[in-house]
């Protein structure tokens, strides 16, 4: 096994303790965070650890930048150009971003470079087109001799809190609309994966973003995250993470009644009907769950298969699982799947697998830690799962798929909807009437039909029920980071 050589920029970046990025400067802290490499379990890098004091400093820098208005009242064309330039720089340095995410997240380097970094650039480019399209309206009011119009304004300082599964991409999903709408930002990446977002802060300055517009403050959730969510200088929190943390953020936001948008957990139902094109549905359903090693909020982890095709589908899934290679993110040649993010997460996932067996499930593939120093779990498929089993209800957030049998459309719809979550759902069928009926009735923010996982910067993304509220992409994302003022002129 050989490792892909580190790019000199990456080697230099991880060789020294990275400071916080506040007001365009690097800020050291008394304590640091040790970032581990999940492919080896070994220490990878140290970064500064933000506490409440540093969050104060970052919010103050973002407030100054907002009030000075160098970004907020900059002409829309100038704002677009900076965002466009930032997208170009991310694309030019996709290999650097890819190596940083492959190292601290563990995902295969080629995926981190060609998917995460390239999509991040594409996302920013879409929002770079927005600044000159954020329009108000003139309103035909009843009071005579009055002009009433609306202005769509930025909300102010936005606190963005992101998870570890797509370190760069999740940050960019929030950052791009927040900046396009004219806000300034304090971004707290996950303590597990802060590297690519720190590098992004440097690139943003290079692209021409005024200092203080983007501040990056790695830190622990209960320390830095909680301080940011509660801060009275923050007007809006955009959060992606677990439903449990989402609840804590809503509570913390009550102090100054800041706006909150939440992209939370999921337990997506994926349904294969008897009339599905199985040649597409089987690999489609496999990757619906095992893409990003199952560490996706949209993972199709509850797979319902019609009884008539159940055995064929299960056999196909097992065959794919057994043919995959699992290995380090920086391995050369690359692997299909990397490690899970941490030892704690690995133990939690394997605990779910053991629990499912105790409740009557049958491990059909994988099921135990794979060899090597890192935190590897091969793709794990559990058959004989019933709706009341813990594995069918709790988000596992790892490479574990539950397969369940059904016989009837109404039955499977009710079962698919019987979850506290509602982020995504999917179905595989050739019957257009069934497809329409099911797509309407599935309780989810996104429904995929004969495909899975597609997103686009222009198409709204978000959850219903306990998967959160707010839509992150498209015009709705601009609304999420704006507020409307009504002006009356006599
Ligand atoms: P997490 O909730 O543990 O952490 C997410 C972020 O919140 C991290 O930056 C963490 O430091 C911070 N945090 C933790 N406690 C906090 C607190 N009390 N106050 C403020 N911030 C706090 O989630 P995770 O383990 O990093 O990510 C996995 C979860 O994220 C899964 O549940 C997954 O479904 C969800 N997720 C959702 C989406 C989506 O778009 N809906 C996307 C990716 C991940």
């Amino acid at each position: 096994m050989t490792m892909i050589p580190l790019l000199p920029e990456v080697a230099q970046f991880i060789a020294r303790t990275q400071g916080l990025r506040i007001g365009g400067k690097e800020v050291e802290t008394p304590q640091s965070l040790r970032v581990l490499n999940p492919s080896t379990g070994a220490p990878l890098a140290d970064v500064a650890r933000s506490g409440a004091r540093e969050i104060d400093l970052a919010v103050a820098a973002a407030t100054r930048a907002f009030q000075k208005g160098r970004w907020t009242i900059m002409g829309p064309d100038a704002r677009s150009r900076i965002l466009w330039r930032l997208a170009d720089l991310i694309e030019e340095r996709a290999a650097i971003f890819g190596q940083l995410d492959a190292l601290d997240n563990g995902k295969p380097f080629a995926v981190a470079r060609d998917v995460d970094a390239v999509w991040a650039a594409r996302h920013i480019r879409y929002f770079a087109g927005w600044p000159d399209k954020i329009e108000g309206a003139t309103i035909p009011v009843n009071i005579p001799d009055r002009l009433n119009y609306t202005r769509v304004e930025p909300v102010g300082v936005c606190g963005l809190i992101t998870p570890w599964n797509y370190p760069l991409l999740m940050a960019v999903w929030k950052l791009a609309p927040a900046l396009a709408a004219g806000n300034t930002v304090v971004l707290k990446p996950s303590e597990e994966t802060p590297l690519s977002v720190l590098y992004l802060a440097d690139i943003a300055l290079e692209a021409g973003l005024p200092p203080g517009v983007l501040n990056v403050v790695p830190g622990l959730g209960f320390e830095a995250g909680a301080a940011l969510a509660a801060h009275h200088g923050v007007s809006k929190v955009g959060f992606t993470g677990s439903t449990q943390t989402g609840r804590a953020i809503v509570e913390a936001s009550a102090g100054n009644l800041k706006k909150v948008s939440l992209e939370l957990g999921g337990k997506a139902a994926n349904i294969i009907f008897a009339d599905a094109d199985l040649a597409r549905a089987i690999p489609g359903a496999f990757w619906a769950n095992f893409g990003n090693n199952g560490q996706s909020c949209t993972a199709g982890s509850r797979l319902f298969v019609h009884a008539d095709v159940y055995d064929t589908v299960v056999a196909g899934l097992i065959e794919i699982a057994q043919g995959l290679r699992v290995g380090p993110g920086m391995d050369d040649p690359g692997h299909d799947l990397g490690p899970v993010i941490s030892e704690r997460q690995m133990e939690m996932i394997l605990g779910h697998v053991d629990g499912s067996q105790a409740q009557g499930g049958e491990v059909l593939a994988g099921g135990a830690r794979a060899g090597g120093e890192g935190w590897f779990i091969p793709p794990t498929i559990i058959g004989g799962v019933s709706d009341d089993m813990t594995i069918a209800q709790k988000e596992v957030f790892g490479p574990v798929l539950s397969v369940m049998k059904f016989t009837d459309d109404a039955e499977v719809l009710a079962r698919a909807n019987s979850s506290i979550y509602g982020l995504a759902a999917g179905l595989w069928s050739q019957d257009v009437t069934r497809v329409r009926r099911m797509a309407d009735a599935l309780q989810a923010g996104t429904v995929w039909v004969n495909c899975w996982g597609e997103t686009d910067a222009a198409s709204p993304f978000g959850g219903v029920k306990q998967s959160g509220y707010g839509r992150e992409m498209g015009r709705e994302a601009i609304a999420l980071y704006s507020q409307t003022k009504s002006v009356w002129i006599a």
Side-chain angles (χ1 to χ4, degrees):
M1 184 172 67
T2 22
M3 290 294 173
I4 297 162
L6 289 188
L7 293 164
E9 294 90 339
V10 172
Q12 281 163 21
F13 197 83
I14 61 175
R16 66 173 183 85
T17 304
Q18 291 291 325
L20 313 176
R21 305 300 199 268
I22 297 180
K25 299 205 170 70
E26 217 177 310
V27 175
E28 289 175 11
T29 55
Q31 288 180 299
S32 59
L33 292 170
R34 175 142 294 184
V35 180
L36 303 179
N37 180 342
S39 299
T40 60
L44 169 68
D46 290 319
V47 304
R49 170 172 158 182
S50 176
R53 194 182 141 269
E54 289 78 16
I55 294 294
D56 279 346
L57 290 176
V59 173
T63 306
R64 274 195 305 277
F66 188 76
Q67 287 169 349
K68 266 208 227 151
R70 276 187 55 210
W71 178 247
T72 315
I73 58 171
M74 186 184 276
D77 178 58
R79 231 158 52 211
S80 292
R81 280 169 187 268
I82 292 172
L83 290 174
W84 195 272
R85 173 94 183 111
L86 176 59
D88 285 348
L89 287 175
I90 292 175
E91 223 163 47
E92 277 167 27
R93 296 179 205 182
I96 299 176
F97 282 106
Q99 289 205 347
L100 291 172
D101 274 0
L103 286 168
D104 69 4
N105 171 281
K107 63 179 68 191
F109 165 59
V111 173
R113 179 193 57 199
D114 301 338
V115 180
D116 293 42
V118 170
W119 288 14
R122 205 181 285 165
H123 197 83
I124 293 177
R125 220 168 260 136
Y126 167 82
F127 283 100
W130 265 101
D132 59 4
K133 296 167 192 73
I134 302 175
E135 299 171 341
T138 49
I139 318 283
V141 289
N142 287 302
I143 304 172
D145 301 325
R146 292 293 181 272
L147 169 63
N148 177 240
Y149 64 92
T150 59
R151 282 171 50 78
V152 180
E153 300 180 340
V155 292
V157 175
C158 296
L160 309 180
I161 303 175
T162 54
W164 45 259
N165 56 344
Y166 296 90
L168 175 66
L169 201 53
M170 288 298 111
V172 161
W173 275 20
K174 299 183 186 325
L175 194 61
L179 293 179
N183 300 282
T184 60
V185 166
V186 177
L187 170 52
K188 195 209 85 65
S190 167
E191 50 272 46
E192 314 271 12
T193 55
L195 300 178
S196 57
V197 175
L198 284 166
Y199 186 65
L200 178 70
D202 299 344
I203 302 284
L205 287 177
E206 216 178 309
L209 201 71
V213 173
L214 169 59
N215 306 278
V216 176
V217 284
L220 299 175
F222 69 86
E223 247 174 32
L228 187 58
H231 205 289
H232 284 212
V234 173
S235 305
K236 147 96 197 183
V237 166
F239 173 71
T240 297
S242 63
T243 294
Q244 191 188 356
T245 307
R247 260 186 219 106
I249 285 182
V250 171
E251 282 167 23
S253 72
N256 70 335
L257 295 173
K258 56 176 69 67
K259 285 165 68 130
V260 176
S261 53
L262 302 170
E263 300 285 355
L264 305 177
K267 191 74 196 173
N270 192 9
I271 308 168
I272 300 184
F273 288 92
D275 69 345
D277 172 0
L278 293 186
R280 288 173 67 195
I282 294 171
F286 184 89
W287 289 109
N289 184 66
F290 293 104
N292 210 41
N293 216 7
Q295 302 174 118
S296 285
C297 47
T298 54
S301 55
R302 286 187 299 148
L303 179 62
F304 294 95
V305 185
H306 192 277
D308 290 354
V309 293
Y310 184 88
D311 290 344
T312 311
V313 169
V314 167
L317 294 170
I318 294 171
E319 193 185 331
I320 301 173
Q322 290 176 342
L324 289 185
R325 295 160 307 149
V326 177
M330 289 290 283
D331 211 5
D332 185 16
H335 284 94
D336 300 298
L337 296 171
V340 299
I341 188 71
S342 63
E343 189 168 17
R344 189 171 66 98
Q345 193 74 5
M346 179 182 71
E347 278 163 9
M348 190 275 290
I349 295 165
L350 293 175
H352 274 298
V353 174
D354 291 347
S356 73
Q357 288 175 283
Q359 291 182 334
E362 187 191 354
V363 173
L364 304 173
R369 183 178 183 176
E373 300 286 292
W375 302 307
F376 296 102
I377 302 177
T380 296
I381 300 174
I382 314 224
V385 174
S386 56
D387 300 333
D388 56 349
M389 284 166 55
T390 311
I391 196 112
Q393 295 172 3
K394 290 261 188 305
E395 184 180 43
V396 175
F397 221 64
V400 180
L401 174 66
S402 300
V403 193
M404 293 169 272
K405 203 181 273 189
F406 76 93
T407 51
D408 170 90
D409 285 25
E411 169 217 331
V412 78
L413 177 63
R415 292 171 66 191
N417 283 341
S418 68
S419 169
I420 61 164
Y421 296 111
L423 188 63
L427 60 133
W428 303 78
S429 166
Q430 317 245 39
D431 175 342
V432 79
T433 308
R434 169 184 278 148
V435 162
R436 279 285 315 278
R437 200 174 54 234
M438 296 297 289
D440 285 357
L442 282 165
Q443 296 167 353
T446 298
V447 176
W448 286 295
V449 179
N450 298 329
C451 62
W452 194 277
E454 274 92 350
T455 58
D456 191 286
S459 174
F461 178 85
V464 301
K465 301 201 272 188
Q466 292 185 36
S467 289
Y469 42 78
R471 294 291 175 271
E472 291 233 272
M473 318 256 194
R475 63 180 65 244
E476 292 190 51
I478 293 291
L480 219 50
Y481 291 94
S482 309
Q483 56 197 1
T484 304
K485 176 186 282 171
S486 177
V487 182
W488 292 80
I489 300 182

